[in-house]
Short mmCIF file of all heavy atoms in Angstrom, two decimals:
data_model
loop_
_atom_site.label_atom_id
_atom_site.label_comp_id
_atom_site.label_asym_id
_atom_site.label_seq_id
_atom_site.Cartn_x
_atom_site.Cartn_y
_atom_site.Cartn_z
N ASP A 85 30.47 -29.19 -7.21
CA ASP A 85 31.09 -28.19 -6.36
C ASP A 85 32.41 -27.68 -6.97
O ASP A 85 32.68 -26.49 -6.98
CB ASP A 85 31.37 -28.85 -5.01
CG ASP A 85 31.17 -27.89 -3.87
OD1 ASP A 85 30.09 -27.30 -3.81
OD2 ASP A 85 32.13 -27.76 -3.08
N ILE A 86 33.22 -28.62 -7.47
CA ILE A 86 34.51 -28.27 -8.08
C ILE A 86 34.29 -27.36 -9.29
O ILE A 86 34.93 -26.31 -9.42
CB ILE A 86 35.28 -29.54 -8.52
CG1 ILE A 86 35.76 -30.35 -7.30
CG2 ILE A 86 36.48 -29.17 -9.40
CD1 ILE A 86 36.41 -31.69 -7.65
N VAL A 87 33.36 -27.76 -10.15
CA VAL A 87 33.10 -26.98 -11.37
C VAL A 87 32.65 -25.57 -11.01
O VAL A 87 33.14 -24.57 -11.55
CB VAL A 87 32.05 -27.70 -12.25
CG1 VAL A 87 31.45 -26.77 -13.28
CG2 VAL A 87 32.67 -28.92 -12.94
N LEU A 88 31.75 -25.47 -10.05
CA LEU A 88 31.23 -24.16 -9.66
C LEU A 88 32.36 -23.30 -9.07
O LEU A 88 32.44 -22.10 -9.33
CB LEU A 88 30.11 -24.35 -8.63
CG LEU A 88 29.19 -23.16 -8.44
CD1 LEU A 88 28.53 -22.73 -9.75
CD2 LEU A 88 28.11 -23.47 -7.40
N ARG A 89 33.22 -23.93 -8.29
CA ARG A 89 34.34 -23.18 -7.68
C ARG A 89 35.28 -22.65 -8.75
O ARG A 89 35.67 -21.48 -8.73
CB ARG A 89 35.08 -24.09 -6.70
CG ARG A 89 36.18 -23.43 -5.93
CD ARG A 89 36.51 -24.21 -4.67
NE ARG A 89 36.75 -25.63 -4.90
CZ ARG A 89 37.93 -26.12 -5.32
NH1 ARG A 89 38.95 -25.32 -5.55
NH2 ARG A 89 38.07 -27.41 -5.51
N TYR A 90 35.62 -23.48 -9.74
CA TYR A 90 36.51 -23.01 -10.80
C TYR A 90 35.83 -21.92 -11.65
O TYR A 90 36.49 -20.99 -12.10
CB TYR A 90 37.02 -24.17 -11.66
CG TYR A 90 38.22 -24.85 -11.03
CD1 TYR A 90 38.09 -25.98 -10.24
CD2 TYR A 90 39.50 -24.31 -11.20
CE1 TYR A 90 39.18 -26.58 -9.64
CE2 TYR A 90 40.60 -24.91 -10.60
CZ TYR A 90 40.44 -26.04 -9.82
OH TYR A 90 41.53 -26.62 -9.22
N ILE A 91 34.52 -22.04 -11.84
CA ILE A 91 33.82 -20.98 -12.57
C ILE A 91 33.88 -19.68 -11.77
O ILE A 91 34.08 -18.60 -12.33
CB ILE A 91 32.37 -21.40 -12.89
CG1 ILE A 91 32.39 -22.43 -14.02
CG2 ILE A 91 31.52 -20.19 -13.27
CD1 ILE A 91 31.04 -22.97 -14.43
N SER A 92 33.78 -19.79 -10.45
CA SER A 92 33.83 -18.56 -9.64
C SER A 92 35.22 -17.91 -9.75
O SER A 92 35.33 -16.69 -9.75
CB SER A 92 33.44 -18.83 -8.19
OG SER A 92 34.49 -19.47 -7.49
N TYR A 93 36.27 -18.72 -9.90
CA TYR A 93 37.60 -18.13 -10.13
C TYR A 93 37.62 -17.37 -11.45
O TYR A 93 38.20 -16.28 -11.54
CB TYR A 93 38.69 -19.22 -10.19
CG TYR A 93 38.90 -20.05 -8.95
CD1 TYR A 93 39.50 -21.31 -9.03
CD2 TYR A 93 38.51 -19.59 -7.69
CE1 TYR A 93 39.70 -22.09 -7.90
CE2 TYR A 93 38.70 -20.38 -6.56
CZ TYR A 93 39.30 -21.62 -6.67
OH TYR A 93 39.50 -22.39 -5.56
N ALA A 94 37.02 -17.96 -12.48
CA ALA A 94 37.01 -17.32 -13.80
C ALA A 94 36.25 -16.01 -13.75
O ALA A 94 36.67 -15.01 -14.34
CB ALA A 94 36.40 -18.27 -14.84
N VAL A 95 35.12 -16.00 -13.02
CA VAL A 95 34.32 -14.78 -12.92
C VAL A 95 35.13 -13.70 -12.20
O VAL A 95 35.14 -12.54 -12.61
CB VAL A 95 33.00 -15.04 -12.15
CG1 VAL A 95 32.21 -13.76 -11.95
CG2 VAL A 95 32.15 -16.08 -12.88
N LEU A 96 35.82 -14.08 -11.17
CA LEU A 96 36.60 -13.11 -10.41
C LEU A 96 37.71 -12.52 -11.27
O LEU A 96 37.93 -11.32 -11.29
CB LEU A 96 37.20 -13.80 -9.18
CG LEU A 96 37.76 -12.89 -8.10
CD1 LEU A 96 36.69 -11.92 -7.60
CD2 LEU A 96 38.28 -13.72 -6.94
N ALA A 97 38.41 -13.39 -12.00
CA ALA A 97 39.56 -12.94 -12.80
C ALA A 97 39.13 -12.37 -14.15
O ALA A 97 39.89 -11.67 -14.79
CB ALA A 97 40.52 -14.09 -13.01
N GLY A 98 37.91 -12.70 -14.60
CA GLY A 98 37.50 -12.31 -15.95
C GLY A 98 38.28 -13.09 -16.98
O GLY A 98 38.53 -12.59 -18.09
#
Side-chain angles (χ1 to χ4, degrees):
D85 216 53
I86 291 174
V87 163
L88 198 57
R89 184 159 51 83
Y90 277 95
I91 286 179
S92 76
Y93 298 158
V95 176
L96 195 57

